[in-house]
Structure formats: C-alpha cells, structure tokens
Amino acid sequence: MSRWTKERVEEALTGPLSRRTFLKGMAAAGAMAVLPCGLLAPEAAGATESYGGGYTVFRNACPRNCYDTCAIKTYVQDGVAKFVEGAPESTFTRGGLCVKGNSYIRSTYSPDRIKYPMEQQGRGTGKWKRLTWDEAMDKIARKILAIKEQDGSLLGLGLTKYSGNFGITNYGVEGMMSSLGYTTRFVGTPCWPAGIDAQNFDMGSMWCNDPEDMVKSRYIIVWGANPAWCSVHSMKYLYAAREAGAKIVVIDPVFTQTAAKGDEYWQVATGTDGALALGMCRHILDREMYDKDWVAANSLGFEEFADYLRSNVTVDWAAKLSGLPAERIVAVAEEFAAARPATVWIGYGLQRHVNGGATVRAIDALVAMTGNIGKEGGGARYGHLQTWGFNYHAMVQKPPEGAVGFVGASGPKGEFDFAGGDKTVKHTDRAVNINKTAQEILDARNPPIRMLWASCKNVLSQDFDRPKMIEAFGKLEMVVVVDHFFNQTVEQADIVLPVTTCLEEWTVNVSYWHYWLALNEQAVKPLHEARSNIEIAAALSRRINELAPGSCTFPTEIDTREWMEAEFNKGIYDLFGLKSWEELRDGPVKAKLASSAAWHDRKFATPSKKYEFKSELCAKNGHEALPAYKEGRKAYDKLRLLTPHSKFSLHSQFQNLDWMEEFNPAPVVYIHPRTAEARGIRHGDAVRVFNKVGEEKLRAVLTANVPPDALLLYEAWFNGRKFNCQNLVDDTSADMGAFKTGAPGVAIHDQFADVARA
Amino acid sequence: MSHPDAALAALRDFFAAGSGAELERACARLATAGCVPPPEADEDLEYDFNRLFVGPGRLAAPPYASVYLETEPRLMGETTLLVRAVYHALGLASPRQSALPDDHLSLELDAALALRAAAGEADGPEMAALRRYFLAEHLGRWLPAFAARVREASPHPAVACAVSRLLDWLDHELSAVPEYGEYGRDERQRRCV
C-alpha cells in the first residue's frame, strides 16, 4: 500500500468529492460548525464543488485615456479572473491587447491595491488608521455639512476628476457633486483642448475618420503621435496602406518607435510644426497643386489664407525655423498634394504648446487645401466624440432644494460635458481651470476651496508645478482620494477610499478614435472592500441624508448593472444597430457609419457651414482668424524639456505593476551624446535636471534619438519613488481650449531645463 | 479550548484585527503567550500594523500565502484556490469571500484550529494527511518567508512578538504532526495507521 503525498492530497482536494474524501462521521455531520469565534463558517449545504469549474467569459473594456479603448474578454473560473484577451469581434483590435491591457489580472490581484477606507493622521506621515465604510462616509458627510454651515454654500468643496476611468457610469462622480449642490469644479482637460478648439474653428467640430480606413490612404503623415506605443492597433493600418503603395512620413522631435517604422522621418524643431505645415501649404499654392474644386465648393476664406501665405510664408522660412531641408519640405509637400487620398494623423503632443491650437489649424489647412477632408482614407485625424451620446444618467443629478451656488458666470464644461446648460438656473458650480489646479486652490476666495475630492485622477503626479501643488494642498482642510494604488496623491490625502477596477464593475465604454462600443461587465466580485464610484456616491448620500435630511439627491441604494443599462438610449442603439445592450455580451459592436470619412457630406458645422480657412469665431475667441503662424514660447533655460508618454504606462497608471517594473525599473533622462559630453555626463551617470520650477535626480541615458537641444523624461508615477516630472513643468497655458472645454490647454512641451552631474 | 489553541486563536485575531481596539484586545490575549501588551492607546502599533499588513501603501509583509507561494506574487492565485479547497474539505468557507482572500493569514490560522478540532473528532488517515499537508506543505512553506519580511521591516515590538509566537507555534505543530500515513480506502488499512 502506498502512502499519502503532497500531490495526492492536492489531487483529492481538487477532485469532485474532496469533502467526502476527508470528512468522516461526526465531523461530516457538522462538528466543524461549533468552533468558537471562528472566522470561517460552515459551508452552505449542497456546496459540492469548490475547485476547477469551467470558465465563464465576461466582457470588459479598457477604460483608460487611450486611443484604442480595447474590448476585452475575461475568463473567470471559481470566481477568479484567470486571464484576459482582446475581443476577437473587434476588427480594430483583432483579438489583441497591449502591454498594459494584458496586465489587468496583475493589477486587479496586486497585493499592493488599496483595500480599505483609511484615514491618515497628518498628510504624508504614513500614520494610517483603518475605517469602516460607515465611519469614512460619516467623517466626509460631517465635513461637507460643516462647510455648508460655515460658508452658506458648498463652493468650498472642489472636485478634480479626469481620465483614470472613462467608463460612462463613472461620471457619477460629477453626479455625486451635483446631487449635493453647487460645488467648485476643476474643468478643462490637460490632454487635447487646444486641438479641439482648432478643429472646432476650422470645421465646427472635432471629428476624425474611422482609423480602420487608413488602409485606403495613399500618403500618411504621422505628425506628433507615437502609435507604435500609444495606439498599437492602429499600426496595422499604416502597414497595410504601405503594402498597397502608400508612403509614411513621421514628424516628431524625438525619433520614436513609430518614426523607426516610417519611410521618411523629420526631426522637427519642437514647437515649429505650424511653420512647417504653412511652408508646405505655400509650396502647394505656388505649384497650384491644391484642390481648386474642393476649396471653391467647400471652404470659406481660402483667398485670404493664400494671401497670408504669399506675404508671410516661404519654404526657406519654414526650413529655417523647423530645421528641415527645404528640398525635403518641397518634395513631401508635392507628394502629399499629388496623392489621392492623403491624410495626417495629428498627435496630441504637438498642441501642448503656447502655439498648439494655431499649429493644428495650420495642419488642418494643409489637409483641407489638398481636398482631403471628407474623403475615405483622407482626413485631418485628431479625435472624435461621435459615439459618446449616452444618457449620462449617473452624471446628470439635480441639486437639493434651496442649494446655493456661484452666480454670474457659466458653469463647468469639459470635452465630455453633454448635459447642456439650463440657462434659467441662477446658481451654478464655480468653474476653475484644471490645468492650473495649484494656482486655483491658492487663489480661491469667498469661499476658499476647503475640501478636495479626487477621483480617476492622480493630482500630484499629473498636475503641473508640483512644488506649488504641495503648497496648495496646505490650504485644504480635507482631501479625499479615491484610487486603486498608493500613489503620490494618496500620500497627501486625509481619507482614501478603495475603488473597483474595470473587472469589478458594470459600465460601458467607447473610444475617441475608433468607432466600437464595448460592454464592461462585473467579471468578478470586488476584492477587499473596493466599491465603484457610484456606489461610493450612494453611500455618501445615505449618510449625509441621515445627518441632514434633504441634503443630497443621489439615490441611496443603486443597482450598478441597472445604472449601466440606464446609460443607453435610442440614439446609441440606432447608431450601433442594437436592439438591446445585452447584444454586447456577444462582443463589441461598431457604429453603422454612412461613410468611414468624417465630413463625408461636406456639411461642416461652422457658422458658414463651410471649412473655414478664415474663422471669425476664432478671432472672436481672441486668436487670429487665419491659421497664421504663432511664435512658440521663449526658452527660459538652456535645453528643451519633453515629458511624453511611456510605453509601460498610461499617465500614472500601470507603471507601478511588477510586470512593468521588470522592464522599466526606474526613471531616466535621455540626453543626446553631444549635449552630455559638453557637460561631462556619461551614460548611466546620476544627474540633476533642474529649472525654475524644481529639480529631479535620476540616471542619464545617452541616445541620439532625442535632439541635441532637448532632454526627455517620461511622465509616470514609479511606485515607492519620489520621482515626479511635474517638479519640472510649470502651468503655462496653451493658446486654445477655453472655447470648447472651459479652460485653455497647457504647454506641457514648452518647458526648459538644464542638466548636470549629480 | 486548550492553552495552545487559545494562543493560536489570539494570533488569529491579532492578524484579523480591523481596528486599534481589536488589536489591543488581541494583544491582551497574547500576553498569556508571553507578549508584553503595548501601553494603552499606543497608536504606533496600529500605524505599524497597517504599514506591514493592511495598507494603503505597498505592504511591507503582505499576510497572504499566494504572495509567497506563487511564481509571481499576487492575490487570488492557485494557492488561494487550494486553500479554499482545504476549507471546503473541512465543510467550511469564508463568509467574506473575495472581500478577504481565502489565504489571508487570519483565515488560515482559523483553519488550523479547525484541523486540530477535526483531528480529535474524525481521526482518519485522510484527515491526518490533510493536516500534514496544510501544516508542512502550506503554512510551513510561507510563514517563515512572511516572518522574515516582517523582521526586515523593523516592526513594532508587539508585532515582532506575535510573529515570533507564530513561528513557535508552527515549529511545535510541525514537530508534532505525524508523517503522511498510508493511502487507501480499505477500512482495515485505515485502522492500522
């Protein structure tokens, strides 16, 4: 007779009769039930299987601020998500994810997650006490009521929220604020507002072609975007177009992975893209290679634009500013104008400048004058919100009876604000600029911002001028942070609340790039004590109404699946050809498009209904009516400082996971060898990067992929490290953004610094 | 409850503590096992306990078996599901389900208590094998690594003492638990173990 072994026990444990194998006699009859004060309890009668059931597949969607917004299939066994894969039904992702999306199991089941509501005894002290949800809600509710008592309004309560989770029900965070009354809202977007305004002035809206139609392009300029890292699923369309004969030109100050894949690469002097585009326009004009019929039929102000080009722009001028050879500008301009169709992918990086909106208008003009707008395979591709017409059921909440707010100015906006404004409402929220969060907190008076609620946002990592932000936080009486991981914002919080990951909540997602709609099911029960944003809102409403009845209109009990369902409407169903959201359980669905081209009917949404080379609306908003060149920011230090996106993170998300740390363990600064040599810096040296804002210490990596006049360090939050690129980035505004998003953008890439050995 | 079981229950409740008050009560019970309770209202113990085992930061010593036994540290791994299967084999389950992963130290110590009780009630070779497995192949494989992580993190004296008692208990159990017995379904064979 053989003996028991480890393997035999495990085999028996995981077999179908495990209980009967081990438990006999009295114990089987219930002896286990009598353990005193035990944490474990007798299992429900009839629980016969605990291990190795079949997989159940759930539908999820990556809700990050990303072009690709991938539909995900999650395989769940025994209540545990085992692995994820891209939804094969999407022709855009074709069953793939990216390095970040593939890590969702690691993030949901990371031992580092914030697990419980907790309160810090002194910000930054690390002295944390655990709270029950009831205790946390009680403390928060009492503070909100005290603010109302003290100020007579809730304008002392500020909300900052952005793109940490774009699942539509997460607009319930804004809804929670509205249901409490009129509050202070950090409005605008740090991401893309200058370009949004530019496209609104030119065309009346931001609307891009379906990225899947890039296969039809015969010429593609990827201008200031790095899809090889930031939109991996778009790359296959570039390759397919090239196989069909298209040429791919990549324009970027940095030799990116995308640049390496292009046929021609232009290392443009940072911030001079507008001059480059206008130089190309001038040459096309001179050669009469522009599309005369298109311009005549569909545009306004082309003659004035042509006059502007003739009097102010030459190819040599563009070459001198951009640092590119005139003969290449001429050659590519001619190739672009001759190709039918040709397209430009306008990246977000090139508009994060004091002249960013003007730059986008110049590039739009290049695409328009060559007749490429409204054509499949053409287009000035920037982004779109065509598929975002949800109900915003979670977001749209009424203020309580008698709520007092801000009087006089318009309420908050944002690129995703579809609620519209009720002009008859006398009181509004107080809107302040999200891109100057620190300054707004410091400046707010009557009342001051006393309390900050941060959700879907890592303020200390993503907002500008960190030294000033620390000072601003000093003014706040209470900071509540809702997050997954202990980041630099949680470090400065009084109360932290654990929030669900996308695998643990019901919501629905769309993209600002492709045209797919994806359901996000609750694939697994929330780990620890995590709750979704709308469940947190309901819990707060419950407590604050117990303390002061009638002080919050947010429902106190919600079914999160029903709230997901409530986001759908006839418009969404018709656009996607759906009868019910339940059809999305079979996979993501693409919008039924009359054409893959934006503006395919040439009916522009501008005041003239034409493409406006000359926009009076733009002039009325304080800019040039024509897409004229606008000077960049004057350098305030020796080298340009670039802080773009890393491959391993989306802003401050993902980099903290062990899988990412293995490949990207520590922040570095990339320096051109000549620049380094002049400063006696060798590869791997510890260096100091410093400017008027602050300083960062990190290792130097020497590479000719960055221009000699620039330093590059990727934005990200590294777990357990003090590194923060916002110690080197000030909050100077971009030119545009206020028109459509409520606040101007921010000149993230108009920053300067120097470097020295540490 | 016998004396060793009382100490084990106190350790269980120490690691299960969800508040300063619960920690204080568990410390008072650990006094009988030789751990000097911290002075009243010693909030440092709570802060340190949370730094090590609760959060919200990256935990110095996560109290979950799967962090130590999986190829890549994580929660809700294969280890967790095997531990859930052990509870199931005992007719038990964690009422908190995913709100507290099954391989959290406090639940495992509760299961260790249950196994002692079961050993008395249903002393078959299968139950003995299960007990051997859970102590030697499971707790014995991760508690020393866990204790090392705690010690490296310069813990509060009360935490250090609890972890030291935990290792004492483990050593005692491992020395007392019989080797695997014979394997078979024959009743006669079973009586021979």
Side-chain angles (χ1 to χ4, degrees):
Chain A
M1 182 57 63
S2 60
R3 300 180 77 80
W4 278 96
T5 61
K6 171 176 183 281
E7 288 71 29
R8 272 209 172 125
V9 174
E10 286 177 357
E11 199 179 311
L13 277 174
T14 56
L17 301 172
S18 64
R19 184 184 299 178
R20 221 186 286 169
T21 308
F22 294 102
L23 269 191
K24 311 287 177 193
M26 271 185 68
M32 292 299 114
V34 297
L35 284 168
C37 309
L39 302 175
L40 299 167
E43 203 170 28
T48 52
E49 194 180 304
S50 76
Y51 189 95
Y55 287 113
T56 310
V57 178
F58 291 87
R59 296 291 177 170
N60 289 100
C62 184
R64 308 303 170 208
N65 186 351
C66 177
Y67 287 110
D68 287 14
T69 307
C70 299
I72 296 173
K73 281 174 87 172
T74 304
Y75 291 77
V76 175
Q77 185 187 41
D78 303 328
V80 178
K82 296 287 187 161
F83 60 94
V84 292
E85 64 179 15
E89 297 84 1
S90 165
T91 51
F92 181 72
T93 57
R94 228 182 268 166
L97 296 174
C98 77
V99 64
K100 303 174 288 276
N102 279 314
S103 73
Y104 271 118
I105 302 293
R106 296 302 293 166
S107 53
T108 296
Y109 296 127
S110 167
D112 296 342
R113 269 183 75 178
I114 297 167
K115 301 170 186 65
Y116 311 102
M118 296 190 81
E119 184 180 37
Q120 188 167 215
Q121 314 302 308
R123 287 180 212 147
T125 62
K127 294 179 173 178
W128 291 90
K129 282 172 176 271
R130 192 165 148 187
L131 300 175
T132 64
W133 271 101
D134 285 348
E135 287 167 342
M137 291 300 116
D138 182 71
K139 282 171 187 275
I140 294 166
R142 285 178 192 279
K143 180 64 186 173
I144 293 172
L145 291 172
I147 289 173
K148 202 196 269 188
E149 179 73 30
Q150 185 172 2
D151 296 333
S153 79
L154 279 181
L155 296 173
L157 169 59
L159 169 66
T160 186
K161 170 175 175 279
Y162 193 54
S163 63
N165 186 338
F166 269 152
I168 300 299
T169 53
N170 284 287
Y171 290 99
V173 180
E174 286 88 338
M176 173 181 75
M177 290 288 149
S178 297
S179 70
L180 287 163
Y182 299 104
T183 56
T184 294
R185 304 291 183 87
F186 289 86
V187 305
T189 146
C191 180
W192 55 345
I196 291 180
D197 275 13
Q199 293 221 314
N200 271 274
F201 296 138
D202 292 337
M203 292 171 268
S205 179
M206 169 182 67
W207 182 13
C208 63
N209 283 30
D210 178 357
E212 298 176 47
D213 89 348
M214 273 191 291
V215 293
K216 296 179 182 170
S217 301
R218 287 294 159 265
Y219 207 90
I220 301 174
I221 299 180
V222 181
W223 203 325
N226 185 11
W229 281 11
C230 303
S231 180
V232 294
H233 299 295
S234 292
M235 290 302 285
K236 61 178 166 287
Y237 303 111
L238 297 179
Y239 296 145
R242 176 157 60 193
E243 273 170 35
K247 178 170 172 178
I248 296 166
V249 177
V250 179
I251 306 176
D252 202 302
V254 181
F255 185 68
T256 61
Q257 191 68 244
T258 306
K261 308 283 186 195
D263 298 305
E264 182 161 344
Y265 166 57
W266 285 1
Q267 189 164 51
V268 64
T270 311
T272 66
D273 308 82
L276 190 53
L278 293 170
M280 292 166 77
C281 290
R282 171 70 200 264
H283 184 72
I284 290 164
L285 178 71
D286 287 353
R287 288 293 163 96
E288 296 197 18
M289 290 181 78
Y290 62 97
D291 188 332
K292 296 186 190 70
D293 293 342
W294 194 95
V295 166
N298 302 304
S299 80
L300 179 80
F302 181 72
E303 274 317 309
E304 285 101 318
F305 177 54
D307 287 345
Y308 167 79
L309 291 174
R310 288 188 197 101
S311 355
N312 296 280
V313 172
T314 66
V315 170
D316 286 341
W317 166 83
K320 190 159 170 262
L321 276 180
S322 65
L324 294 161
E327 62 269 24
R328 291 316 306 154
I329 298 177
V330 162
V332 167
E334 289 181 11
E335 288 166 12
F336 186 85
R340 288 284 183 273
T343 189
V344 179
W345 180 337
I346 305 170
Y348 304 131
L350 61 68
Q351 51 90 57
R352 292 173 185 149
H353 290 273
V354 297
N355 59 0
T359 296
V360 173
R361 289 200 69 207
I363 298 173
D364 284 349
L366 170 67
V367 183
M369 77 187 286
T370 50
N372 280 304
I373 289 180
K375 292 207 173 120
E376 298 192 355
R381 297 162 194 262
Y382 186 69
H384 78 86
L385 297 170
Q386 299 283 316
T387 52
W388 291 72
F390 296 95
N391 283 337
Y392 297 91
H393 166 81
M395 181 174 90
V396 180
Q397 303 289 335
K398 285 197 182 89
E401 199 90 358
V404 173
F406 192 68
V407 182
S410 66
K413 289 191 200 174
E415 75 276 44
F416 298 109
D417 178 16
F418 300 95
D422 183 349
K423 300 285 183 240
T424 61
V425 175
K426 213 167 76 183
H427 295 274
T428 66
D429 293 310
R430 174 168 62 180
V432 293
N433 182 349
I434 198 169
N435 292 323
K436 291 184 184 291
T437 295
Q439 197 61 52
E440 297 281 18
I441 293 171
L442 290 169
D443 292 348
R445 301 275 183 285
N446 300 320
I449 298 170
R450 301 180 187 279
M451 176 174 177
L452 185 69
W453 186 289
S455 183
C456 306
K457 189 154 198 322
N458 185 349
V459 182
L460 265 298
S461 171
Q462 296 307 125
D463 283 312
F464 312 100
D465 198 337
R466 180 189 156 91
K468 191 155 74 179
M469 189 67 77
I470 292 289
E471 186 192 341
F473 266 52
K475 279 194 72 182
L476 299 168
E477 296 161 19
M478 182 184 268
V479 177
V480 178
V481 177
V482 182
D483 218 320
H484 296 135
F485 291 101
F486 185 81
N487 54 40
Q488 295 185 358
T489 307
V490 178
E491 202 178 320
Q492 297 300 326
D494 297 303
I495 291 177
V496 64
L497 304 174
V499 72
T500 43
T501 66
C502 62
L503 302 190
E504 299 164 329
E505 66 183 25
W506 286 96
T507 194
V508 55
N509 292 78
V510 285
S511 160
Y512 48 76
W513 183 243
H514 63 65
Y515 284 83
W516 291 82
L517 166 69
L519 178 67
N520 189 80
E521 298 181 280
Q522 187 181 60
V524 293
K525 292 274 180 249
L527 267 275
H528 316 295
E529 294 185 3
R531 292 186 183 179
S532 65
N533 271 307
I534 52 176
E535 289 171 307
I536 294 171
L540 179 60
S541 183
R542 191 155 57 240
R543 183 57 188 150
I544 203 164
N545 280 315
E546 280 166 11
L547 292 170
S551 56
C552 184
T553 65
F554 207 93
T556 54
E557 300 290 339
I558 57 169
D559 178 321
T560 56
R561 199 187 80 168
E562 283 174 12
W563 276 53
M564 177 278 298
E565 289 179 46
E567 294 295 355
F568 286 87
N569 54 38
K570 185 169 184 304
I572 289 283
Y573 281 151
D574 288 351
L575 179 60
F576 288 93
L578 293 171
K579 288 197 169 61
S580 156
W581 66 270
E582 303 216 26
E583 291 169 52
L584 295 168
R585 284 188 151 146
D586 298 329
V589 168
K590 190 175 177 180
K592 310 291 172 210
L593 302 171
S595 161
S596 65
W599 311 112
H600 51 86
D601 56 5
R602 320 289 197 273
K603 287 183 183 150
F604 291 97
T606 53
S608 65
K609 309 292 173 209
K610 305 268 192 191
Y611 181 94
E612 297 197 354
F613 287 100
K614 185 180 182 191
S615 165
E616 293 304 338
L617 186 60
C618 189
K620 215 183 291 175
N621 277 273
H623 315 291
E624 298 271 348
L626 291 168
Y629 184 64
K630 187 174 164 60
E631 290 276 336
R633 187 179 186 189
K634 199 171 168 327
Y636 64 78
D637 214 317
K638 292 194 181 64
L639 300 165
R640 167 124 6 212
L641 179 80
L642 299 169
T643 54
H645 298 202
S646 152
K647 174 163 64 173
F648 300 103
S649 60
L650 211 156
H651 300 307
S652 70
Q653 295 176 309
F654 297 105
Q655 171 56 46
N656 63 304
L657 303 177
D658 53 355
W659 281 7
M660 306 303 174
E661 289 177 331
E662 195 165 334
F663 287 94
N664 190 35
V668 295
V669 56
Y670 295 88
I671 312 175
H672 192 280
R674 285 212 303 277
T675 312
E677 195 186 0
R679 288 163 175 77
I681 295 168
R682 287 162 310 180
H683 189 83
D685 278 355
V687 296
R688 242 167 22 94
V689 180
F690 51 94
N691 65 11
K692 61 172 183 150
V693 183
E695 161 174 312
E696 271 303 326
K697 288 197 173 111
L698 58 183
R699 296 272 163 193
V701 170
L702 272 47
T703 172
N705 289 348
V706 297
D709 68 344
L711 299 170
L712 185 150
L713 39 108
Y714 290 111
E715 55 138 22
W717 155 64
F718 285 78
N719 202 349
R721 286 178 187 269
K722 289 199 166 115
F723 171 77
N724 192 317
C725 74
Q726 311 304 347
N727 278 319
L728 298 163
V729 178
D730 73 11
D731 61 0
T732 294
S733 292
D735 52 348
M736 295 184 192
F739 171 56
K740 284 305 279 188
T741 73
V746 64
I748 298 169
H749 298 314
D750 279 337
Q751 304 296 330
F752 303 88
D754 202 355
V755 62
R757 290 177 64 173
Chain B
M1 197 184 281
S2 68
H3 180 68
D5 284 358
L8 181 55
L11 282 171
R12 172 196 69 195
D13 293 344
F14 180 84
F15 288 106
S19 67
E22 284 177 19
L23 262 182
E24 221 169 281
R25 282 198 292 276
C27 283
R29 287 165 56 204
L30 279 174
T32 56
C35 288
V36 182
E40 258 181 59
D42 175 14
E43 301 203 314
D44 287 346
L45 170 60
E46 186 181 356
Y47 301 147
D48 204 54
F49 183 86
N50 290 339
R51 173 181 71 93
L52 292 160
F53 310 131
V54 178
R58 179 175 271 193
L59 301 180
Y64 307 90
S66 55
V67 170
Y68 304 87
L69 298 180
E70 300 284 320
T71 317
E72 294 179 298
R74 58 167 292 179
L75 303 186
M76 303 304 281
E78 287 304 310
T79 308
T80 318
L81 295 174
L82 267 174
V83 169
R84 186 186 286 173
V86 170
Y87 302 165
H88 172 75
L90 291 168
L92 298 173
S94 167
R96 302 190 56 191
Q97 300 185 357
S98 57
L100 188 68
D102 291 274
D103 58 353
H104 188 270
L105 178 54
S106 63
L107 294 175
E108 294 202 352
L109 295 182
D110 202 41
L113 273 168
L115 275 163
R116 288 176 62 92
E121 297 286 349
D123 197 6
E126 297 85 1
M127 191 54 74
L130 185 62
R131 194 153 167 255
R132 168 89 208 164
Y133 172 81
F134 194 60
L135 287 163
E137 310 291 357
H138 182 75
L139 285 163
R141 282 180 60 219
W142 79 272
L143 288 187
F146 163 74
R149 291 265 299 257
V150 175
R151 278 197 299 264
E152 280 163 28
S154 323
H156 186 283
V159 175
C161 190
V163 168
S164 161
R165 290 300 166 273
L166 183 66
L167 288 185
D168 291 348
W169 167 81
L170 180 69
D171 285 347
H172 176 263
E173 290 289 293
L174 287 175
S175 66
V177 68
E179 288 299 318
Y180 284 124
E182 284 184 2
Y183 174 80
R185 307 209 63 81
D186 184 287
E187 284 301 315
R188 219 157 20 90
Q189 296 275 351
R190 182 173 295 174
R191 279 197 295 276
C192 297
V193 175

